[in-house]
Amino acid sequence: MTAPPSLAPWHIWRKYLLPRPARLGLALGSRGPDFALFDVTHQRTVRLANWRGKQPVVLAFTRIFAEGVYCPLCYPHIMAMNAAYQRFRDAGTEVFMVTSLNPRQGKAVVEDLQLTLPLLCDPVGQSFRQYHTGQALGAPLPAQFVLDAQGQLRYGHWFSFLHHNAEPEALLAALETL
């Protein structure tokens, strides 16, 4: 048995630390890419495709550096989304907050912030890349998406320094147009 090849320091830097800007890689009206991620809030695996044909979904990709170390631009958004979670549910929508933490770290975040909304863990960042959120300083950038009940992308918000995250009110307004 051979050990997996290790990445040279330059490859690690290039893969994880060099900035990658967010980009509109998915057209409005296109089907959102599927993924299966572990929900540490409810201790289950969530497959996005299982919601197609049932109800709209809000995907809130967020930036948490480590357990207890929150991005100062994302922390208020995480708390606002958690506070508005029941409003989304009352509107017939599921919300999935996605982080690049591993499940152990994610569980600590759920406990620390007393989250009730599903926190999905994607430690390899595949879903962030599928939705073209971009990255800076080794962590994915935040972005929010509204998928209709058929799984089609109807609204997208990518990080910018002027508008870090789409507020819950903007996401709820986008849902009202479906």
Side-chain angles (χ1 to χ4, degrees), residues 71-141:
C71 167
L73 304 176
C74 294
Y75 175 80
H77 185 255
I78 295 168
M79 300 311 291
M81 289 297 290
N82 193 57
Y85 182 56
Q86 191 57 51
R87 291 178 57 208
F88 284 100
R89 299 288 293 157
D90 291 346
T93 301
E94 184 56 90
V95 175
F96 296 123
M97 181 143 310
V98 184
T99 178
S100 61
L101 299 178
N102 67 47
R104 182 192 58 77
Q105 293 170 315
K107 186 171 179 356
V109 167
V110 167
E111 292 169 1
D112 183 38
L113 301 181
Q114 300 179 342
L115 297 180
T116 56
L117 59 76
L119 182 67
L120 309 184
C121 293
D122 183 3
V124 297
Q126 182 63 33
S127 63
F128 287 88
R129 287 187 293 281
Q130 288 175 299
Y131 283 83
H132 307 280
T133 67
Q135 73 177 35
L137 299 174
L141 294 172

Side-chain angles (χ1 to χ4, degrees), residues 127-172:
S127 63
F128 287 88
R129 287 187 293 281
Q130 288 175 299
Y131 283 83
H132 307 280
T133 67
Q135 73 177 35
L137 299 174
L141 294 172
Q144 296 78 42
F145 302 95
V146 171
L147 305 176
D148 66 17
Q150 289 71 47
Q152 294 179 322
L153 180 65
R154 297 298 178 192
Y155 174 90
H157 177 93
W158 288 264
F159 173 83
S160 76
F161 282 110
L162 295 176
H163 302 284
H164 314 126
N165 293 286
E167 295 302 321
E169 293 303 323
L171 296 167
L172 286 162

